[in-house]
Amino acid sequence: SAARSISPYLRKGNLIIVESTSPVGTTEKVKREIDKFALCNTDEIHICYCPERVIPGNILNELVLNNRVIGGIREMDAVVAKAFYESFCKGEIQLTDVRTAELVKLTENTFRDVNIAFANQLSIICDNLNIDVHELIHLSNQHPRVNILKPGCGVGGHCIAIDPRFIASAFPDLTELIQVARKVNNEKVEWVTKKIIEKACIQQKKIGRKPKIGCLGLTFKANVDDIRESPAIKIVDNLKSLNTDLLICEPNLKASTDFELKSLNYILEYADIIVILVSHKEFKEVSFVNKIVYDFCGVTSSF
């Protein structure tokens, strides 16, 4: 639709850049649409794919400083696009063909999904062995060729939780590892939910009533206001089955249409159990002394 809508306005020398994450071959589909609907000679239009490499909360800085990959339908298209990016990008710009550039984006986020799945699986193993997974990863990462990411409640956001599916759906018989990583990260949500319910049942026996559970964090990652595909939200939704008071704090959201948000101080005062679901900086500045805390993302760890 976007390709069709711009086609009548295209002129000789125009540059079209696709940055949205998409399956391999998408940019070529864009060209085919433009070939059908453009009013000018499409051989004189430059079409490229350049995946974005930015992190929520620091987009403008990373837009300028990060290295970029540009894939052109033709080599000359990538050269023209490089001149455009050089007008604001201080990072290194590397050129390739359009399909490779599309797969680069998917590969980057799929690698992180697989790495996080390994960390999440380690966290479950460490729970069974009564080992601090954050200390384990910290010590393992002292090896010069090891870089294990941090475990959490799962994987959310509009990139890492979704992009691997573009590869897996195109090659279902060749992507066993990618599919297993997705399964591990999805199931971590259920594992965290189960652990919280177990702790709540223990606490209920101690205090003689259903405990008030303070849930810290709703966004898909730390220090952002983005809730897309958030594992924390899925966990809180799961906990509703307990029919107990859920006290929810999310300092990066002013309001929520689905949850009543409480202040951190309110939760510290009234919650019987505190579960940390997202490692926001505000939570790291708090003392949880004399509180029953179940930390699923390393806020209270010294590693």
Side-chain angles (χ1 to χ4, degrees), residues 31-48:
K31 184 183 186 306
R32 288 197 291 271
E33 290 298 305
I34 289 172
D35 286 342
K36 287 189 291 185
F37 295 99
L39 303 179
C40 64
N41 182 359
T42 56
D43 289 339
E44 298 175 335
I45 297 171
H46 306 290
I47 305 176
C48 295

Side-chain angles (χ1 to χ4, degrees), residues 22-276:
S22 50
V24 174
T26 298
T27 309
E28 291 164 313
K29 290 182 179 179
V30 168
K31 184 183 186 306
R32 288 197 291 271
E33 290 298 305
I34 289 172
D35 286 342
K36 287 189 291 185
F37 295 99
L39 303 179
C40 64
N41 182 359
T42 56
D43 289 339
E44 298 175 335
I45 297 171
H46 306 290
I47 305 176
C48 295
Y49 179 80
C50 180
E52 63 176 7
R53 285 174 171 168
V54 295
I55 188 171
N58 193 33
I59 288 177
L60 291 179
N61 189 49
E62 295 214 338
L63 189 67
V64 172
L65 298 179
N66 287 350
N67 297 339
R68 304 300 291 267
V69 172
I70 300 174
I73 296 288
R74 301 165 298 182
E75 183 178 352
M76 63 180 293
D77 299 332
V79 172
V80 171
K82 181 180 180 182
F84 167 71
Y85 279 98
E86 284 178 334
S87 68
F88 63 88
C89 180
K90 296 181 180 179
E92 181 181 354
I93 299 174
Q94 297 176 314
L95 306 185
T96 185
D97 63 271
V98 69
R99 287 196 164 208
T100 299
E102 289 171 329
L103 189 56
V104 162
K105 176 62 174 179
L106 301 180
T107 299
E108 291 168 351
N109 285 335
T110 301
F111 167 79
R112 295 169 68 196
D113 194 43
V114 173
N115 194 321
I116 294 170
F118 179 58
N120 279 335
Q121 200 158 70
L122 283 177
S123 71
I124 296 172
I125 293 169
C126 286
D127 182 75
N128 281 272
L129 294 173
N130 196 29
I131 290 173
D132 183 343
V133 66
H134 301 286
E135 180 181 6
L136 173 76
I137 291 175
H138 169 75
L139 295 175
S140 298
N141 282 346
Q142 304 309 303
H143 189 292
R145 289 173 294 281
V146 174
N147 183 27
I148 306 168
L149 299 179
K150 294 181 179 180
C153 296
V155 172
H158 61 292
C159 291
I160 300 178
I162 295 173
D163 293 357
R165 299 188 187 280
F166 285 125
I167 302 176
S169 63
F171 300 98
D173 297 329
L174 302 176
T175 53
E176 293 91 343
L177 178 61
I178 294 172
Q179 294 177 55
V180 168
R182 278 280 75 236
K183 182 173 182 289
V184 168
N185 286 331
N186 285 336
E187 291 180 350
K188 186 67 184 294
V189 169
E190 305 306 322
W191 183 85
V192 170
T193 302
K194 181 181 177 182
K195 298 298 292 187
I196 295 173
I197 292 175
E198 289 175 356
K199 303 299 184 184
C201 291
I202 293 172
Q203 188 64 10
Q204 181 175 342
K205 292 179 181 179
K206 290 182 179 180
I207 64 178
R209 59 172 173 79
K210 289 187 176 182
K212 296 178 180 179
I213 303 176
C215 302
L216 302 189
L218 282 180
T219 59
F220 85 86
K221 65 179 294 184
N223 309 318
V224 301
D225 61 359
D226 195 335
I227 60 173
R228 286 176 290 181
E229 303 295 323
S230 171
I233 287 182
K234 296 174 185 176
I235 291 166
V236 173
D237 280 335
N238 289 344
L239 293 177
K240 290 179 180 178
S241 63
L242 290 175
N243 294 318
T244 190
D245 287 338
L246 298 177
L247 311 178
I248 303 165
C249 175
E250 178 44 72
N252 295 283
L253 296 178
K254 294 181 180 179
S256 170
T257 56
D258 299 313
F259 305 99
E260 180 183 356
L261 301 182
K262 302 291 187 181
S263 70
L264 182 54
N265 287 336
Y266 184 94
I267 289 178
L268 291 173
E269 182 174 356
Y270 293 105
D272 299 304
I273 297 174
I274 296 174
V275 294
I276 307 177

